[in-house]
Amino acid sequence: MLVLPSLHDPKLAALFKSGKVGVIPTDTIYGLAASAADPQAVARLYALKHRERKPGTVIAASAQQLIELGVPAETVQAVSVLWPNPLSIDMLVGGNLEHLDQGTGHCAFRVVADEEVRAMLAMTGPLLTSSANDPGQPPAENLVQGQDYFGDEVDFYVDGGNRSGRLPSTVARYRDGRFETVRRGAVTIDETGKLL
């Protein structure tokens, strides 16, 4: 079982770009992660989570990375003023991203505020993430808990220390210029998109 000591490890970008799936510390909690641009890696991540019709969250270093991934530029530009933040915005996506949306037509995206995670994403490109846990169980807050959930089913782990006490990202649905909070988390947003 490959364990990398930090998000700075130079092997990390090559692992994601070669289609590997791992457990990493994100800006909030530990997450299962795969390259968002790799449909096969994304399919494997979803299979590991044993769930359908519930898309994960794509994390990125910048709004530009999301546009390059294929997220509609007009939508990204409309919400990018809210980033970087622990705020995941659920948006409608086009057919070129159907591997991400689990057949729902939408997916959540976040430009992270954590500088270490952003530096990693600048090297790896956007990653699809989902909390590191089995359905109905609490998310992993440290490396050992992540290993307990996934064992050798994933290709690697990254040790990011203890993530306990961190709030998950807020999730807001964006439709027709309005925001609706789907899950309360680290930040609060009103329906106009103002951070409170």
Side-chain angles (χ1 to χ4, degrees), residues 102-113:
Q102 292 276 76
T104 63
H106 62 91
C107 188
F109 300 87
R110 177 168 83 247
V111 175
V112 303

Side-chain angles (χ1 to χ4, degrees), residues 127-141:
L127 300 177
L128 177 71
T129 62
S130 183
S131 57
N133 61 320
D134 290 328
Q137 298 300 309
E141 295 179 336

Side-chain angles (χ1 to χ4, degrees), residues 3-9 11 157-160:
V3 178
L4 304 180
S6 78
L7 293 174
H8 300 294
D9 194 293
K11 299 184 197 75
Y157 292 85
V158 178
D159 190 352

Side-chain angles (χ1 to χ4, degrees), residues 66-150:
L66 295 177
I67 292 169
E68 290 169 3
L69 180 65
V71 184
E74 183 178 341
T75 306
V76 172
Q77 289 161 357
V79 303
S80 63
V81 67
L82 298 169
W83 290 326
N85 254 317
L87 172 63
S88 301
I89 301 179
D90 183 272
M91 300 183 273
L92 298 175
V93 294
N96 60 326
L97 296 178
E98 62 186 7
H99 65 285
L100 295 173
D101 69 19
Q102 292 276 76
T104 63
H106 62 91
C107 188
F109 300 87
R110 177 168 83 247
V111 175
V112 303
D114 184 286
E115 290 185 11
E116 185 179 26
V117 179
R118 284 176 78 185
M120 174 202 67
L121 291 164
M123 294 185 299
T124 64
L127 300 177
L128 177 71
T129 62
S130 183
S131 57
N133 61 320
D134 290 328
Q137 298 300 309
E141 295 179 336
N142 57 55
L143 178 68
V144 172
Q145 290 176 358
Q147 291 170 327
D148 286 345
Y149 282 128
F150 296 106

Side-chain angles (χ1 to χ4, degrees), residues 10-71:
K11 299 184 197 75
L12 197 52
L15 286 166
F16 280 123
K17 288 178 180 179
S18 65
K20 304 298 185 190
V21 176
V23 172
I24 66 169
T26 71
D27 54 322
T28 54
I29 54 180
Y30 275 80
L32 197 58
S35 171
D38 186 330
Q40 290 182 318
V42 165
R44 188 170 158 224
L45 182 153
Y46 282 139
L48 286 165
K49 285 290 294 212
H50 309 292
R51 69 183 193 183
E52 295 180 1
R53 299 194 65 77
K54 189 175 180 184
T57 299
V58 175
I59 58 174
S62 66
Q64 184 59 37
Q65 275 193 336
L66 295 177
I67 292 169
E68 290 169 3
L69 180 65
V71 184

